[in-house]
Amino acid sequence: MSAVSASALSLALSAGALAHNGKKPDDSDQEPIRLISPYYGDINPFYGDINPFYGDINPFYGDISPFWGDISPFWGDISPFYGDIDAFWGDIDAFYGDIDAFYGDIDAFYGDIGAFWGDIGPFWGDIDAFWGDIGAFNDGEYGTLLTDLNALFDRAEDIFGPAYQGVTGTDFESGFQAELTARFGIDLNDARSLEGLDAEDRARFFLEFYDGLMRYSGRDHVDHWMPAINWTPRLAQEAGGGSWVLVGLVDFSVPSRISGLTGNNNGRDYLDFNHGLAVASLIGADHDGEGLMGVAPNVLMTLSNPFDESLSTNWTDVRSSVRQQVMTSSIMNLSLGLPGWTFNEGWADVLSDRWVSMFADKTLFVFAAGNDGVTQTTDVNWTDVRNVENLLIVGSVSPSGEISNFSNRPGDACFAVRGRCAEGSRLMDRFLVAPGEMILMPDGQGGYVRLSGTSFAAPLVTGAAALVKGEWRWLQAGDIAEVLLSTTQDLGAPGVDPVYGRGLLDVQAAMGPINRENLYAVTRRGERVDASEVGLLKARFDLTDDSSITVFEDLRDTYRDFEMTLEELSLGDEAVSASVAAANQSYVFERVGQPLGASFRQGPAQSYVVDQRDGLVVSAFASSLDAGQAWADGDLPFQAGMALENTEAGYVVRFGVGEGALAFSEDSGFGLASDFRPETGGVNPLLGYASGGPFAMAGFDMGVDTRLSFAASTTRDSYAFSNPLTGERTAIFDTLDAYAASALAMDVRHQLNDVTSVQAGYTHLSEDEALLGGQGLGVLAFEGGSETDALTLGADMRVGDRMQLSVSGAVARTAATQYGDGIMTLSDPALSTAFQVSLSRTNILRRGDAVRASFIQPLHVETGVIEYSGLAVADAETGALGLQTQRWSMGGERPLAMELLYGLDAMDGRFSLNAFGRVEGPNADFQAQSASWAGGMRARLRF
């Protein structure tokens, strides 16, 4: 340490100190030089005895209760990090997989740490509150307190003991525990030793306990500022960590070269003062498991030191340091200024310098607001600079989110040009806050220290700016500032205010859209499409996890791009959930809301013979709407049709409105509408897609044992759910056009013998603006529709008089096609499959009952590729757009289901009972978390 007076070492200089130290010692008659101090002050929480330079604890944090009062915001913030540690850390580095052996399985170890800190926070809160309430020494109460402290250390030793001994060679109790308690004069065998510790001592004790243990965690330290600004290592890494962004620092030299930091120290050696090291570490410290983490770990930094041995500087040297860096730096951190000012007019002289002004518009300047607790009332003459869009001023907030007592405020002051304050030119318009109290940082001697000051809030903003610049490298200084200011968390009075300015830095928000309602996609023809009009309902197929499209957000004179996954572009969680709920309710109602008895067959509820002559029977039939079919205005609110059948000539013709799939497959062993629905059954699901509207079929005997049938069926689904009990209709997707499809089918059935028949069929499905039930909006619309061909094979076999086995399987191919203007293309044909095996038996418990067991694979897309072509950023440096084509593989988990039905008819048809149970799971894993089940029963008695 330099032998300088304590007053000179105090960096938050008073006016008197400025006057005294502002003259050159060798010429006291010359005009005093105005000194500039780093905003550091002697605001040193708890660590006065660590580094003698920092002197005594000062009033800025003297009353520690706002921080430690109710188990402290520190623990409120830290605990959630540990609760979901994997999401917080992400996949950081192989380092953690190959950690020293004494750590064991680091993931399991860190899982233990998470639980430990999650429990210890409230535990310490109870200890601290109890400790604070105890008055004069009471053997019983302090004895209880001593027991709790011993339990605290025992729990810490269980988790950290092996790691501590592996590093130090000393056991936890005689090493870590003994050293910490000795520093605070605590004897864990003497309750009286606890009596002299006040609230401040207890706060110091617990922070040193936390910081000390974290050195043996095998991970970088987690600090309270991280959740406060919504920052995580994963977020930083996924954003590139500020790669290739050059940040300039005007600050103190560092004791040794650190990663990412290069440049000129202005010929001045390290001054045994860790201010520059702390600022650089908060901006860009590596995520290497060995200490602190910077906001943007991959930035490049240059440093120019304007300070001399007095730990002060002047405007001439500051201007020189800025000149050295402004040409190459995208962002410049300036944690220095004149005491008594939030923003001093001297900066106007620096930024209006001819050399600096040539490059200043391309550089974002981040200033610390200062540590005097003042509110600025004096305007800043900005006439020679004019531009304020590249300026950010950063104040400090406490861990509880309150403005720090020491932090300067912007007030109503303005950057005035020719005496006028233009819109957006008030200091508060360029002001934001970040955590600046008790921030963990390197002490310059290989250890760590917690310090406070706006000097340490500013680099958090600088690091966030580097992440934004690294992700969108074409953004200029004003663009970056606009992003950070527009995504803050509002604090204090609503809107921009004289204390918090624009609000609290929010890194996660800055890396996302400012306003999702303003996002848009760009087609290959350069047409803009509002992102709210882009969506996808995937129906029976899933796409690869990385399926996404590029959307844009206008930002001043440029834009930012974002990758939005197709999950994010689904047509609203509520709408999708409503669609699933409607399908489930329809299925349940079909099972328990309609009388099936022991036949497991849905047929006309009413039938009337219209005419009968010469072997021809003409009949009319009607039944209620199928539970899965919605009806629109103008539609029949029931199913109806006519049949012409001549058993002597061997033909039948049916036509009407309703479930065409059932009408076509009347003679098979599958007699429920749900057997044909793509989402619930495995029997010719393509015909199921087109069922519900007008249909017609004709069947002809081709011999004694062979029958040929043809069918045509259509549907138009307006995406509304009709409650089968109340008739109430609810719109599900009011943004989608109605789903429309038609199908043509041909079927040949041959009776092999008295007990076995086989069937083969062909179905062609035409969908309007859809793909296997899926539909899209905007650039994701399947304009022009899809054509699918399917082959079905089936068999029915009777086993004795009481049992029947029915089998059906389908293989479908959706042809490659181009949708609309070529934005979306099914480049590789989609191959899909479905099957169902049902075994039914009658007279199980008594005559007139039956059971059916089924194993089902609903329609599943096996392979297929959708190509999406749209404009995306082709040049990361300039932001120039180019045509980009993505290939989305279709597939997903194979859906499988088991279903059990029971039916009973008794009392000459006056009593019926139906019960069902169904379980669905991916890949036959019926115990998976995503598995679902349903069950119910219905009984009816007619008098």
Side-chain angles (χ1 to χ4, degrees), residues 817-875:
T817 186
Q818 178 173 297
Y819 298 107
D821 59 3
I823 294 173
M824 289 234 298
T825 302
L826 183 62
S827 59
D828 294 359
L831 299 179
S832 51
T833 61
F835 67 81
Q836 181 166 333
V837 179
S838 295
L839 178 65
S840 58
R841 178 168 176 164
T842 59
N843 303 333
I844 300 297
L845 302 177
R846 53 163 293 163
R847 292 182 60 83
D849 72 348
V851 65
R852 190 185 90 163
S854 301
F855 184 62
I856 306 165
Q857 179 204 290
L859 186 70
H860 173 65
V861 177
E862 305 286 347
T863 61
V865 174
I866 295 175
E867 286 189 353
Y868 169 83
S869 298
L871 293 187
V873 173
D875 188 326

Side-chain angles (χ1 to χ4, degrees), residues 258-269:
I258 64 174
S259 176
L261 180 61
T262 61
N264 166 4
N265 284 331
N266 209 23
R268 293 170 179 165
D269 295 330

Side-chain angles (χ1 to χ4, degrees), residues 333-351:
N333 190 92
L334 300 145
S335 289
L336 72 167
L338 278 179
W341 294 81
T342 303
F343 194 92
N344 186 265
E345 196 169 293
W347 287 114
D349 296 331
V350 174
L351 298 188

Side-chain angles (χ1 to χ4, degrees), residues 39-122:
Y39 284 139
Y40 199 103
D42 52 356
I43 307 167
N44 171 27
F46 320 139
Y47 282 86
D49 55 345
I50 300 294
N51 186 336
F53 171 77
Y54 299 119
D56 296 331
I57 296 170
N58 70 56
F60 284 144
Y61 69 88
D63 181 2
I64 202 67
S65 59
F67 177 60
W68 282 102
D70 53 354
I71 193 45
S72 93
F74 179 83
W75 280 114
D77 288 341
I78 285 295
S79 297
F81 268 172
Y82 291 105
D84 191 7
I85 200 68
D86 291 335
F88 175 70
W89 283 99
D91 184 9
I92 294 180
D93 192 74
F95 170 83
Y96 300 116
D98 191 22
I99 201 75
D100 291 343
F102 66 82
Y103 285 118
D105 182 344
I106 193 66
D107 289 331
F109 176 65
Y110 223 68
D112 291 341
I113 295 174
F116 172 76
W117 288 124
D119 291 341
I120 286 299

Side-chain angles (χ1 to χ4, degrees), residues 356-430:
V356 173
S357 63
M358 288 174 60
F359 306 99
D361 288 349
K362 298 190 301 182
T363 303
L364 176 63
F365 296 92
V366 181
F367 298 89
N371 297 337
D372 307 289
V374 301
T375 298
Q376 185 154 334
T377 57
T378 304
D379 288 348
V380 179
N381 184 358
W382 211 242
T383 303
D384 292 337
V385 185
R386 294 180 176 268
N387 184 22
V388 298
E389 294 177 345
N390 60 341
L391 308 180
L392 291 176
I393 308 168
V394 186
S396 167
V397 290
S398 69
S400 62
E402 300 290 332
I403 193 75
S404 298
N405 290 336
F406 57 78
S407 178
N408 292 346
R409 286 91 159 164
D412 295 317
C414 185
F415 293 101
V417 176
R418 301 186 188 279
R420 299 183 60 184
C421 183
E423 183 178 356
S425 294
R426 298 171 301 177
L427 267 64
M428 72 175 80
D429 295 320
R430 313 307 302 172

